[in-house]
Amino acid sequence: QGIFRHGVDPVELYISISGLGYFYLSNRYTLGAIFNRKLGDPDALHQRHQHIIDVILGYLRYQGEDVVLPLKA
């Protein structure tokens, strides 16, 4: 149907999803102190969950042209 982009590496996608969640949860007390927020509260966790969904779907959605940038050595 052309909804999602082609060529997404499932392992890289998994690592990205895990990283977005793990970093936040493992550092929520430190980040909470730095930014003066209660990142462990249910509302904050819900907002983070929604943010992860938005970021990942933004990456996965086909935008009309798949662009692959070459890696630089």
Side-chain angles (χ1 to χ4, degrees), residues 24 42-55:
Y24 180 90
D43 287 342
L45 293 172
H46 176 74
Q47 287 178 345
R48 183 62 187 177
H49 181 246
Q50 191 58 53
H51 177 74
I52 292 170
I53 292 169
D54 292 344
V55 167

Side-chain angles (χ1 to χ4, degrees), residues 24-44:
Y24 180 90
L25 290 176
S26 65
N27 293 288
R28 66 186 175 271
Y29 300 111
T30 302
L31 294 171
I34 292 169
F35 298 118
N36 195 30
R37 293 187 180 183
K38 295 182 179 186
L39 301 179
D41 283 356
D43 287 342

